[in-house]
mmCIF file of all heavy atoms in Angstrom:
data_model
loop_
_atom_site.group_PDB
_atom_site.id
_atom_site.type_symbol
_atom_site.label_atom_id
_atom_site.label_comp_id
_atom_site.label_asym_id
_atom_site.label_seq_id
_atom_site.Cartn_x
_atom_site.Cartn_y
_atom_site.Cartn_z
ATOM 1 N N MET A 1728 77.699 -121.785 50.934
ATOM 2 C CA MET A 1728 76.436 -122.322 51.468
ATOM 3 C C MET A 1728 75.748 -123.198 50.428
ATOM 4 O O MET A 1728 75.269 -124.303 50.725
ATOM 5 C CB MET A 1728 75.472 -121.171 51.832
ATOM 6 C CG MET A 1728 75.745 -120.491 53.148
ATOM 7 S SD MET A 1728 74.831 -118.914 53.272
ATOM 8 C CE MET A 1728 73.127 -119.471 53.291
ATOM 9 N N LEU A 1729 75.693 -122.695 49.193
ATOM 10 C CA LEU A 1729 75.043 -123.460 48.120
ATOM 11 C C LEU A 1729 75.785 -124.774 47.880
ATOM 12 O O LEU A 1729 75.171 -125.832 47.719
ATOM 13 C CB LEU A 1729 75.032 -122.639 46.823
ATOM 14 C CG LEU A 1729 74.032 -121.481 46.775
ATOM 15 C CD1 LEU A 1729 74.352 -120.551 45.615
ATOM 16 C CD2 LEU A 1729 72.600 -122.017 46.643
ATOM 17 N N LYS A 1730 77.105 -124.664 47.862
ATOM 18 C CA LYS A 1730 77.926 -125.855 47.611
ATOM 19 C C LYS A 1730 77.654 -126.910 48.690
ATOM 20 O O LYS A 1730 77.427 -128.088 48.389
ATOM 21 C CB LYS A 1730 79.403 -125.439 47.609
ATOM 22 C CG LYS A 1730 80.388 -126.575 47.466
ATOM 23 C CD LYS A 1730 80.359 -127.129 46.057
ATOM 24 C CE LYS A 1730 81.307 -128.313 45.933
ATOM 25 N NZ LYS A 1730 80.956 -129.142 44.758
ATOM 26 N N ALA A 1731 77.659 -126.469 49.959
ATOM 27 C CA ALA A 1731 77.449 -127.418 51.055
ATOM 28 C C ALA A 1731 76.052 -128.029 50.993
ATOM 29 O O ALA A 1731 75.850 -129.193 51.347
ATOM 30 C CB ALA A 1731 77.652 -126.711 52.394
ATOM 31 N N ALA A 1732 75.085 -127.228 50.524
ATOM 32 C CA ALA A 1732 73.708 -127.723 50.462
ATOM 33 C C ALA A 1732 73.469 -128.577 49.216
ATOM 34 O O ALA A 1732 72.375 -129.099 49.015
ATOM 35 C CB ALA A 1732 72.740 -126.549 50.482
ATOM 36 N N GLY A 1733 74.484 -128.688 48.364
ATOM 37 C CA GLY A 1733 74.349 -129.501 47.151
ATOM 38 C C GLY A 1733 73.497 -128.835 46.085
ATOM 39 O O GLY A 1733 72.933 -129.498 45.215
ATOM 40 N N LEU A 1734 73.417 -127.507 46.139
ATOM 41 C CA LEU A 1734 72.636 -126.783 45.125
ATOM 42 C C LEU A 1734 73.573 -126.204 44.063
ATOM 43 O O LEU A 1734 74.721 -125.870 44.361
ATOM 44 C CB LEU A 1734 71.855 -125.645 45.787
ATOM 45 C CG LEU A 1734 70.655 -126.095 46.610
ATOM 46 C CD1 LEU A 1734 70.135 -124.956 47.479
ATOM 47 C CD2 LEU A 1734 69.552 -126.603 45.686
ATOM 48 N N PRO A 1735 73.059 -126.044 42.830
ATOM 49 C CA PRO A 1735 73.913 -125.457 41.785
ATOM 50 C C PRO A 1735 74.240 -123.998 42.091
ATOM 51 O O PRO A 1735 73.519 -123.339 42.851
ATOM 52 C CB PRO A 1735 73.051 -125.535 40.513
ATOM 53 C CG PRO A 1735 71.862 -126.341 40.845
ATOM 54 C CD PRO A 1735 71.721 -126.403 42.329
ATOM 55 N N GLN A 1736 75.289 -123.504 41.505
ATOM 56 C CA GLN A 1736 75.675 -122.107 41.677
ATOM 57 C C GLN A 1736 74.819 -121.231 40.754
ATOM 58 O O GLN A 1736 74.312 -121.703 39.745
ATOM 59 C CB GLN A 1736 77.158 -121.917 41.325
ATOM 60 C CG GLN A 1736 78.102 -122.683 42.237
ATOM 61 C CD GLN A 1736 77.968 -122.265 43.697
ATOM 62 O OE1 GLN A 1736 77.778 -121.104 44.003
ATOM 63 N NE2 GLN A 1736 78.047 -123.243 44.603
ATOM 64 N N PRO A 1737 74.663 -119.941 41.108
ATOM 65 C CA PRO A 1737 73.961 -119.043 40.183
ATOM 66 C C PRO A 1737 74.816 -118.792 38.937
ATOM 67 O O PRO A 1737 75.958 -119.252 38.869
ATOM 68 C CB PRO A 1737 73.793 -117.761 40.996
ATOM 69 C CG PRO A 1737 74.894 -117.801 42.008
ATOM 70 C CD PRO A 1737 75.149 -119.249 42.305
ATOM 71 N N LYS A 1738 74.269 -118.025 37.997
ATOM 72 C CA LYS A 1738 75.028 -117.772 36.766
ATOM 73 C C LYS A 1738 76.113 -116.717 36.994
ATOM 74 O O LYS A 1738 77.181 -116.777 36.380
ATOM 75 C CB LYS A 1738 74.077 -117.294 35.671
ATOM 76 C CG LYS A 1738 74.752 -117.155 34.345
ATOM 77 C CD LYS A 1738 73.772 -116.900 33.251
ATOM 78 C CE LYS A 1738 74.505 -116.655 31.949
ATOM 79 N NZ LYS A 1738 73.730 -115.816 31.053
ATOM 80 N N GLY A 1739 75.838 -115.770 37.852
ATOM 81 C CA GLY A 1739 76.860 -114.746 38.063
ATOM 82 C C GLY A 1739 76.478 -113.717 39.104
ATOM 83 O O GLY A 1739 75.338 -113.672 39.578
#
Side-chain angles (χ1 to χ4, degrees):
M1728 280 166 66
L1729 286 166
K1730 176 72 183 160
L1734 286 167
Q1736 297 300 322
K1738 186 171 175 207

